[in-house]
């Protein structure tokens, strides 16, 4: 492959000297004193590839150019010339190239390759996962935001879909579909937009059916020291009135107060409570992108320490401030979720431009409020809604193309970490596992899929991203079996309703995420995976149950005994009652998966994106569903048997915990199928 | 002494304030000889039954005609009781203080506790004293069971039966014992069947300032080395400096010249007062509501607890690596050989020996390496983290061990048959228990108090099938390999299940545990074979 790629590289780079690969390169193990791996380093148009020489394994390490965040060439030593490649997914490759000249070549080439200047250089435009056109297009329809707003309960008598931003006429970083209060006329919206940074006027982000309260988002008002805007005041009033249950609304500025005040000098700023009727204004001090960037940098330096002491690590971590920032974002989310769910009060959230901190805080609040966002599908929708459609600047923040390094900041990384911290606190509340978050982070930087390209919907449409690249969501959905959290239960108390993380003192619940920032240091991670083990167990259970069902059906045919006869037979030892007894446990396995979204839309069988591989799974779920009525009939009988056997030994006093542990299952089965 | 003399008021109306995982109870409070009972009525499930022995500190506060008593428990729980009547408050607080600090072993609750589901004296059969020797004897003929200590005359803190090199007679052992602090001569504590290397433990040799030697002690270690492959390593859990200090007061360590084949390494581990302080500071930090996020990590570091966890695991790994990879015999000791020595030897076994990782095997390990080996539980666990006043002999060495085991279980979640519930139960029972297992400081004391015949064993209680779901790890699958934990700071975590147990809501973790069980049980139901 080397020759063909070398030609490509030469054309891309205009390199003078042709070369294919560098041999006898050593890959050092940074964390231990293990022997370095000897191998060959290849540069292709899209990847850096290191192939180890060990003939049996020939272990390969692939790195996309767009994942490289920095390349460092160190002073040549007797052993060769060290080259340090740091990646945006926190992998660090320490290579030693025997010849200084080769090292220089690789270094220069990578400097160029890691900083593409045109979108067309990105891997997603050449990535071809062998899907036909139809499949690719279907992939892009997997996440449908109109559908999502419908699920929330809009449009309704208070909110509607406005066409005011058709062709991005009002705000070029907003989507075309914008939901606003019915009472907000185009005149009010346009007037309000002129009074907001980058014309990002207040628009609906989340609507809570139960309380009518909403979360809206915008950018800061151009209030300066005294400016007012009637339409903007009317806009906020319209939002407040769209929630008749509450006579005021919160306006949350997610910046530290000092930053917001400084903005007033530049003619920007924040809402004056005196000018807006019935608002409660609140600052929540989340630091800006520059502080966050340097915080991550400091934390990564701690991660890279060689054999640090406990003090080195804990002090370094604290000095980075990283966990403090994570907590600030989560606290803001908790505040908003509480306002919406418990007080029934609407909230308008903004920061400066309303595309970084605002996106973080709105999506954390939504995740806390709505169990749908804690499912696999719902989480994709959440990112699509709060981040992609509302113009989070993926291209600038994650450095997809060569640009201003001051624009780069780990904004969505922080959101993903907030979610991880919550999954650690509530192990049963999320349908997805850690791997899902890690893979999303990886692909935000990889540019292998078009999903996160550009800074806005407008730019994506102009670039015809959907026609030319593939959707990450479809890819993740197709491989969803890898991303499931086996502990998740849709009907579980943690998954129902609002998540309430404990408030103070809760500092200690924030932990260093070694599964993200040290994930390539395998030795540091737990050596056995509970998730994988449990998924295997679940799969096995399902297979066994299917086998059992087939056998039962066969048995039925042979004996020609209708199943409806069995309820009469209550002897525990009798073979007929044993079979239904076994299958009675099926609903609790089948239902979480089939019910995962809690919505018909997310049921796998209706997903438009499924590939051929998925059909088997869907078939089995159909089987389980069709068998439900039988099961519910049997489960009553089953629980009766349980009760008898549990009470008999000691008057029921001695085993209360076991009883209560078993009882809910049959009950739930009845409830779910009823 | 009569308990009734100590109970100044036996009864009062009280209200138990709610806390995380603690529902409020209003009702009648009763103080009995060993318990505090708060009942809302007949057999209400939220009734509070508190073993008074569990109370670590009592704080009382008066407000008008009523008072508040704060009970800080050894299991780190904190209970707040509002009591009607000022006099009642003071009397009840006084009664609790008096009853919770009784020192007599034979009037302690285990001597009165008679659960219906258990029979006295069962535990003897669970972990017979010669069980370890039988296991070793299956592998090699080089070792014998010596009863030189059958009357506890040679060593007061050792059990009656000990495993020693076959070629060494009892009189040699007795003389070696005189050369070791407290008579703890080197004995076998683990035989690594993969390569025949052995681990021994002892106390420090009484070398003294003029560097005494003892021919029998040297002979004993020489014989052990010959059986274990010829290369040995003395792992001294003190710094070289501390050893120098010890020599002045008659202690010391193995001189290289005297013990050929044995090398020596000093790997200091914290113990005693500093370790207790570390525990106290950590609990303070975990319950400090005013602590903000930007100070939490440095506070956590300031406690040093995680540093101690890291160091203990590191040394255990060193010992395990020495045996498994380098084929070296290990002798572990510090000064007395009853504290961090046992921490290192038991952790090493857990790392190397799959048999220790089962429910029964782990109990055997605890019985052998902690209880019979003479860890002074009564002294070390007299108070937990809340007690006021100067600690005397308290030190949470056993808790440090449990924390290290928890770290192992986190890194190898499938490889231990027992779960966090087991470790929590052990912590609770070590500090306050209705069972006799952790009573006293040594086998000799337990023998004199007739603990084994007059109290129930914790093991028989834990092995009841109703405890399975709480204690066992549903996803256990036997792992024949050594468990090499990562000791990088990124891999070690604060044991939230213990230190934050009473400060955060318990439901999420409980639900996860139940779900874990459910998944595995469904698999078992589906496949009756």
């Amino acid at each position: 492959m080397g020759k063909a790629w070398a030609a490509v590289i030469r054309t891309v780079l205009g390199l003078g000297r042709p070369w294919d690969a560098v041999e006898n390169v050593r890959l050092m193990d940074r964390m231990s004193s293990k022997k370095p791996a000897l191998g060959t380093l290849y540069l292709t148009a899209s990847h850096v590839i290191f192939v180890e020489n060990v003939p049996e394994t020939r272990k390969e390490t692939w790195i996309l150019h767009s994942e490289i965040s920095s390349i460092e060439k160190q002073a040549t030593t007797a052993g060769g010339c060290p080259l340090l490649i740091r990646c945006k997914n926190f992998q660090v490759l320490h290579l030693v190239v025997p010849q200084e000249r080769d090292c220089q070549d690789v270094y220069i080439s990578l400097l160029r390759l890691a900083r593409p200047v045109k979108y067309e250089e990105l891997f997603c435009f050449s990535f071809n996962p062998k899907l036909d056109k139809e499949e690719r297009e279907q992939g892009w329809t997997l996440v449908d935001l109109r559908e999502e707003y419908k699920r929330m309960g809009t449009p309704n008598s208070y909110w509607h879909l406005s066409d005011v931003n058709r062709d991005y006429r009002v705000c070029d970083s907003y989507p075309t579909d914008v939901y606003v209060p019915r009472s907000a006329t185009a005149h009010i919206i346009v007037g309000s937009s002129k009074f907001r940074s980058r014309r990002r006027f207040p628009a609906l982000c989340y609507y809570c059916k139960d309380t009518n309260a909403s979360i809206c988002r915008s950018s800061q008002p151009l209030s300066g020291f005294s400016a007012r805007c009637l339409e903007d005041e009317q806009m906020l009033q319209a939002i407040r009135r769209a929630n008749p249950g509450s006579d005021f609304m919160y306006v949350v500025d997610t910046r530290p107060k000092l930053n917001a005040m400084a903005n007033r000098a530049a003619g920007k700023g924040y809402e004056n409570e005196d000018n807006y009727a019935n608002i409660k204004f609140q600052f929540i001090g989340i630091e800006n992108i520059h502080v966050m960037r340097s915080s991550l940098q400091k934390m990564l330096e701690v991660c890279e320490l060689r054999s640090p002491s406990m003090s080195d690590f804990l002090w370094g971590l604290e000095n980075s401030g990283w966990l403090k920032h994570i907590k600030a974002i989560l606290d803001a989310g908790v505040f908003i979720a509480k306002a919406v769910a418990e007080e029934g009060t609407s909230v308008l959230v903004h920061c400066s431009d309303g595309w970084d901190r605002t996106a973080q805080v709105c999506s954390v609040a939504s995740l806390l409020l709505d169990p749908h966002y804690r499912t696999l599908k719902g989480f994709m929708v959440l990112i699509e809604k709060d981040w992609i459609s509302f113009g989070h600047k993926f291209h600038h923040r994650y450095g997809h193309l060569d640009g201003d390094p001051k624009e780069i900041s780990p904004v969505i990384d922080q959101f993903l970490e907030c979610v991880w911290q919550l999954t650690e606190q509530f192990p049963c509340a999320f349908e997805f596992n850690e791997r899902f978050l890690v893979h999303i982070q990886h692909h935000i930087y990889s540019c292998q899929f078009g999903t996160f390209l550009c800074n806005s919907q407008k730019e994506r449409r102009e670039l015809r991203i959907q026609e030319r690249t593939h959707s990450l969501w479809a890819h993740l959905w197709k491989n969803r079996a890898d991303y499931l959290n086996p502990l998740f239960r849709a009907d579980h108390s943690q998954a129902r309703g609002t998540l309430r993380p404990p408030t103070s003192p809760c500092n200690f619940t924030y932990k260093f995420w070694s599964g993200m920032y040290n994930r390539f240091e395998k030795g540091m991670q737990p050596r056995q995976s509970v998730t994988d083990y449990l998924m295997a167990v679940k799969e096995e259970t399902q297979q066994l149950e299917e086998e059992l069902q087939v056998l039962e059906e066969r048995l039925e045919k042979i004996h020609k005994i209708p199943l409806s006869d069995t309820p009469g037979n209550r002897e525990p030892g009798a073979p007929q009652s044993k079979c239904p007894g076994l299958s009675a446990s099926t609903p609790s396995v089948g239902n979480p998966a089939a019910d995962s979204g809690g919505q018909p839309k997310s049921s796998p069988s209706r997903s438009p994106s499924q590939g051929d591989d998925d059909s088997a799974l869907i078939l089995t779920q159909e089987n389980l569903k069709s068998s439900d009525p039988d099961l519910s009939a049997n489960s009553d009988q089953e629980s009766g048997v349980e009760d008898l056997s549990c009470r008999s030994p000691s008057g029921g006093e001695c085993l209360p915990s076991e009883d209560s542990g078993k009882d809910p299952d049959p009950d739930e089965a009845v409830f779910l199928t009823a | 002494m009569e308990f009734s003399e100590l109970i100044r008021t036996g009864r009062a109306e009280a209200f138990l304030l709610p806390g995380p995982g603690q529902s409020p109870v209003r009702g009648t409070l009763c103080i009995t000889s060993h318990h505090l009972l708060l009942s809302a009525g007949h057999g209400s499930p939220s009734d509070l039954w508190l073993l008074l022995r569990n109370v670590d500190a009592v704080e009382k506060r008066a407000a008008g005609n009523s008072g508040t008593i704060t009970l800080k428990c050894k299991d780190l729980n904190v209970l707040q009781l509002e009591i009607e009547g000022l006099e009642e408050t003071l009397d009840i607080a006084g009664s609790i203080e008096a009853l919770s600090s009784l020192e007599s072993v034979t009037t302690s609750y285990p001597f009165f506790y008679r659960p219906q589901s258990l029979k006295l004296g069962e535990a003897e059969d669970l972990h017979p004293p010669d069980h370890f020797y039988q296991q070793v004897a299956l592998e090699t003929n080089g070792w014998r069971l010596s009863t030189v200590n059958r009357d506890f005359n040679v060593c007061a803190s050792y059990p009656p039966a000990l495993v020693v090199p076959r070629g060494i007679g009892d009189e040699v052992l007795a003389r070696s014992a005189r050369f070791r602090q407290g008579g703890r001569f080197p004995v076998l504590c683990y035989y690594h069947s993969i390569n025949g290397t052995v681990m021994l433990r002892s106390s420090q040799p009484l070398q003294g300032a003029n560097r005494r030697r003892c021919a029998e002690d040297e002979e004993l270690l020489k014989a052990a080395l010959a059986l274990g492959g010829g290369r040995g390593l003395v792992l001294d859990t003190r710094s070289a400096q501390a050893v120098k200090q010890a020599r002045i007061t008659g202690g010391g360590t193995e001189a290289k010249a005297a013990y050929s084949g044995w090398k020596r390494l000093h790997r200091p581990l914290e113990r005693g007062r500093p370790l207790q302080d570390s525990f106290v500071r950590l609990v303070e930090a975990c319950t400090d509501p005013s602590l903000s996020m930007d100070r939490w990590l440095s506070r956590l570091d300031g406690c040093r607890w995680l540093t101690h966890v890291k160091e203990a695991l590191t040394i255990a790994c060193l010992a395990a690596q020495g045996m498994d990879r380098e084929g070296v015999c290990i002798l572990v000791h510090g000064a007395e050989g009853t504290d961090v020595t046992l921490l290192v030897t038991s952790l090493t076994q857990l790392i190397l020996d799959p048999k220790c990782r089962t429910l029964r095997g782990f109990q055997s390990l605890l019985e052998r390496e902690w209880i019979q080996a003479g860890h002074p539980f009564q002294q070390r666990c007299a108070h937990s983290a809340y007690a006021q006043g100067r600690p005397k002999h308290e030190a949470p060495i056993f808790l440090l061990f449990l924390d290290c085991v928890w770290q192992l279980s986190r890194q190898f979640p499938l490889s231990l048959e027992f779960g966090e519930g087991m470790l929590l139960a052990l912590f609770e029972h070590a500090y306050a228990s209705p069972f006799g297992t952790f009573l006293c400081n040594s086998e000799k004391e337990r023998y004199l108090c007739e603990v084994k015949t007059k109290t129930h064993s914790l093991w028989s209680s834990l092995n009841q099938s109703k405890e399975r779901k709480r204690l066992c790890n549903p996803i256990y699958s036997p792992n024949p390999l050594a468990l090499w934990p990562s000791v990088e700071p990124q891999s070690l975590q604060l044991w939230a299940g213990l230190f934050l147990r009473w400060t955060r809501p318990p439901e999420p973790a409980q639900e996860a545990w139940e779900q874990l069980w459910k998944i595995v049980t469904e698999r078992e139901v589906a496949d009756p074979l």
Side-chain angles (χ1 to χ4, degrees), chain A residues 253-319:
Chain A
D253 189 327
T254 56
R255 298 169 293 183
K257 189 173 181 184
L258 207 66
N259 300 20
M261 285 170 71
N263 263 300
R264 295 208 319 204
K268 299 166 188 172
Y270 51 92
E271 291 81 356
N272 184 339
E273 274 188 1
D274 299 336
N275 298 343
Y276 292 82
N278 304 313
I279 66 161
K280 277 191 188 165
F281 186 83
Q282 182 91 28
F283 282 115
I284 294 183
I286 302 173
E287 298 292 345
N288 64 25
I289 57 166
H290 311 294
V291 175
M292 300 306 192
R293 178 177 56 245
S294 92
S295 172
L296 176 67
Q297 191 50 45
K298 282 186 201 149
M299 183 175 71
L300 293 180
E301 278 161 23
V302 176
C303 295
E304 275 194 43
L305 290 175
R306 278 181 80 107
S307 333
S309 72
M310 196 47 95
S311 296
D312 295 338
F313 177 73
L314 291 174
W315 276 93
L317 190 58
E318 177 169 292
N319 283 336

Side-chain angles (χ1 to χ4, degrees), chain A residues 315 318 489 493-494 507 527, chain B residues 291 298 301 411 508 511 515:
Chain A
W315 276 93
E318 177 169 292
R489 275 184 62 180
S493 70
Q494 287 178 26
N507 301 314
R527 245 56 65 76
Chain B
L291 193 58
S298 53
D301 175 50
Q411 295 190 24
E511 280 173 334
Q515 185 68 3

Side-chain angles (χ1 to χ4, degrees), chain B residues 3-11 31-33 91 95 99:
Chain B
F3 292 116
S4 54
E5 291 166 16
L6 299 172
I7 304 175
R8 284 185 256 171
T9 297
R11 209 171 254 277
I31 304 281
T32 72
S33 327
D91 283 353
S95 312
L99 288 165

Side-chain angles (χ1 to χ4, degrees), chain A residues 16 170 175 219 364 408 421 437 520 540 634 670:
Chain A
V170 177
S219 60
V364 168
I408 292 174
Q421 300 279 0
L437 298 172
F520 290 92
E540 206 183 344
N634 288 332
V670 176

